[in-house]
Amino acid sequence: MGGAVSAGEDNDDLIDNLKEAYYIRSDLVERAFRAIDRADYYLDEYRENAYKDLAWRHGNIHLSAPCIYSEVMEALDLHPRISFLNLGSGTGYLSTMVGLILGPFGVNHGIELHADVIDYAYQKLDSFIKTSDSFDRFEFCEPSFVVGNCLDIPPETRQYDRVYCGAGVQKDHEKYMKNLIKVGGILVMPLEEKLTKITRTGPNSWETKKIISVSFAPLILPKHNVNGRPKSVPLPKYEVRSLQELTRSSIRHTLQTNTNGGESHSRSRGSSFSVGRGLAVAGLHKYGPRFKRRRVHRRRCNALVLASRQVVGSTMGSAALDSNNNQGGRVEDEEEAGEREARREVRGSRRATRRARGMMEEEEMVEDVEEEDDRETGELLQVQPAVNVLRERILGLPLPEPLKRYLLYYRNK
């Protein structure tokens, strides 16, 4: 499933295409997508396919197409402090993006059928926390994963605000899935070849909306044990964060706020993250570093005044004018009287000429271009990578080194 948008050359290019096709519609979702490079969740030998709008599978490892994840993120209507359950959490790519929005006081759980995929997901999560500069621009709700079949979740399990299922759900299991969400909660899942959004409006009432046609592998039915009874797979516990973790979060949040000059670009429902002015000052892409050049076009634009018999001034075109304001070096063949008459007419338009000349002497147009050298036009400026200001501030604090490492989540970058 996928192929709805053209392939991108990098992660930002892919997101631009998804926005243009209206799969990504909100700033909140866009920032989460830009913060995590999709290629980081591919095996190295397949990274060149990461920016295609296609699903990818290698053994048990699976990623849905970007357009599907976009629709899922939009349909979930995420905001901070809510609980999220990912059924078939896979590589953790979606759960990590969700965690950027939930913030430190949310709940982010996942269940995955294959143990090797859980190991892969934790490797990618650890790499994101330790190596990605995006991690320092968000307050993060770290996901927790367990191995098991989502149809083995015990009925007494606590319900969630948001639930997503990444496998095709048979009609027989629709009610089971609905009971995983709280009243007011949202369930998004493939149901009868349609990506479906179900909102629980009451204890026994739901609203259903079909989003797009999809093709997912069906849910794998659970295996029973020897006595014929189904297994029970407990989900991760709801754990209260320790005082130590809360203190770390508070310190990092304070440093982020100061780094951003106190300017918070909060989004809907009290978004727990902001992108400060540091990125803009660095001249980078609004949502993260883009190692591209900028092409600067400069052109001279002088005023153009038309008289009844001749053109006074210069045009923006490349053809040169001679000293008598004629194109191509042609000789003026008018009589002296005609020239005097023309000058009188021009004199009356001098005021308009001065106003026009004051409007624009020089215009600059700046556009982003790729790394490839394009010799169409002049000056190319290399944009410098952004500095991780939060990390630099933490390293500059008069604190013991172990405490600095703790504030950095033990990053060795």
Side-chain angles (χ1 to χ4, degrees):
M1 179 67 194
V5 301
S6 58
E9 295 189 9
D10 60 16
N11 194 67
D12 280 314
D13 200 23
L14 172 63
I15 307 311
D16 290 341
N17 293 338
L18 292 168
K19 280 191 65 182
E20 185 178 349
Y22 209 59
Y23 284 101
I24 293 179
R25 300 177 287 278
S26 66
D27 289 343
L28 202 62
V29 171
E30 179 184 355
R31 292 183 181 189
F33 267 86
R34 291 196 190 275
I36 300 176
D37 195 324
R38 179 176 167 89
D40 291 341
Y41 287 78
Y42 276 63
L43 296 172
D44 289 341
E45 58 266 36
Y46 299 101
R47 284 180 67 95
E48 69 274 9
N49 298 318
Y51 308 120
K52 297 176 182 178
D53 187 29
L54 296 171
W56 173 69
R57 180 180 293 278
H58 182 80
N60 292 327
I61 301 171
H62 175 260
L63 280 167
S64 294
C67 67
I68 300 298
Y69 283 135
S70 303
E71 288 288 4
V72 170
M73 290 281 285
E74 293 287 356
L76 285 171
D77 188 22
L78 299 164
H79 56 87
R81 298 174 180 265
I82 63 173
S83 57
F84 171 69
L85 175 61
N86 190 350
L87 306 175
S89 51
T91 65
Y93 173 64
L94 177 67
S95 293
T96 302
M97 287 194 293
V98 170
L100 298 177
I101 298 176
L102 299 187
F105 302 106
V107 174
N108 193 356
H109 291 167
I111 181 170
E112 167 58 41
L113 188 61
H114 304 287
D116 60 328
V117 179
I118 291 281
D119 293 338
Y120 186 85
Y122 274 121
Q123 290 173 13
K124 295 303 179 182
L125 175 63
D126 187 61
S127 176
F128 171 71
I129 292 174
K130 290 183 177 179
T131 66
S132 174
D133 285 329
S134 293
F135 177 77
D136 288 330
R137 295 201 300 273
F138 295 81
E139 294 182 62
F140 187 49
C141 181
E142 189 170 331
S144 297
F145 307 114
V146 294
V147 180
N149 190 306
C150 66
L151 295 176
D152 284 333
I153 298 173
E156 65 273 12
T157 298
R158 289 180 61 177
Q159 295 169 324
Y160 289 76
D161 296 300
R162 302 290 185 270
V163 175
Y164 170 66
C165 181
V169 177
Q170 297 89 341
K171 193 67 176 177
D172 294 344
H173 297 117
E174 180 180 358
K175 183 178 179 181
Y176 173 89
M177 294 294 179
K178 287 180 176 179
N179 287 327
L180 293 174
I181 55 174
K182 302 176 181 178
V183 173
I186 295 173
L187 165 67
V188 178
M189 62 180 179
L191 181 65
E192 297 181 321
E193 302 298 312
K194 298 284 186 182
L195 188 65
T196 305
K197 175 181 179 179
I198 299 175
T199 304
R200 189 167 192 170
T201 57
N204 297 298
S205 59
W206 293 267
E207 288 182 356
T208 301
K209 177 184 178 182
K210 303 293 184 181
I211 303 174
I212 56 173
S213 297
V214 292
S215 178
F216 276 68
L219 280 173
I220 296 176
L221 298 179
K223 296 179 181 179
H224 294 76
N225 57 18
V226 177
N227 60 12
R229 300 177 62 184
K231 297 178 182 178
S232 180
V233 180
L235 291 173
K237 295 179 180 179
Y238 282 72
E239 295 181 351
V240 178
R241 301 187 71 182
S242 68
L243 180 60
Q244 188 178 22
E245 290 177 316
L246 292 173
T247 301
R248 172 168 62 180
S249 178
S250 178
I251 293 172
R252 285 172 60 88
H253 176 75
T254 300
L255 292 174
Q256 282 174 331
T257 303
N258 291 339
T259 298
N260 295 338
E263 179 181 2
S264 177
H265 299 271
S266 296
R267 297 293 174 181
S268 61
R269 303 188 185 179
S271 171
S272 68
F273 68 91
S274 62
V275 177
R277 291 180 291 183
L279 292 177
V281 171
L284 295 175
H285 190 278
K286 175 177 179 182
Y287 300 102
R290 297 190 72 180
F291 297 97
K292 294 192 175 184
R293 307 188 204 179
R294 304 172 73 206
R295 181 184 294 145
V296 181
H297 301 256
R298 290 186 176 87
R299 65 177 180 178
R300 180 70 56 179
C301 181
N302 293 332
L304 182 66
V305 180
L306 295 177
S308 61
R309 294 176 182 244
Q310 60 184 18
V311 178
V312 179
S314 65
T315 68
M316 293 192 301
S318 59
L321 299 181
D322 64 10
S323 58
N324 291 313
N325 299 318
N326 294 307
Q327 294 190 5
R330 291 175 297 173
V331 179
E332 176 63 54
D333 58 0
E334 294 194 14
E335 299 292 334
E336 215 172 282
E339 292 177 351
R340 284 197 297 270
E341 182 182 354
R343 282 197 293 271
R344 282 197 299 271
E345 292 173 359
V346 171
R347 211 176 292 129
S349 63
R350 282 178 179 171
R351 189 172 301 169
T353 303
R354 285 194 296 269
R355 284 198 301 267
R357 284 176 178 168
M359 288 172 62
M360 183 186 294
E361 271 300 317
E362 183 170 288
E363 175 185 345
E364 278 194 5
M365 296 184 300
V366 182
E367 64 180 21
D368 287 337
V369 297
E370 301 294 341
E371 286 286 354
E372 290 82 4
D373 189 7
D374 188 343
R375 293 181 176 82
E376 250 181 29
T377 182
E379 185 179 356
L380 290 175
L381 303 178
Q382 178 68 47
V383 178
Q384 297 300 318
V387 175
N388 189 327
V389 182
L390 177 62
R391 182 174 185 275
E392 295 301 319
R393 287 177 68 92
I394 290 174
L395 292 175
L397 292 173
L399 298 172
E401 288 302 317
L403 180 53
K404 292 181 183 179
R405 290 197 299 272
Y406 181 73
L407 291 174
L408 292 168
Y409 285 77
Y410 301 102
R411 296 170 68 176
N412 297 315
K413 195 171 174 185

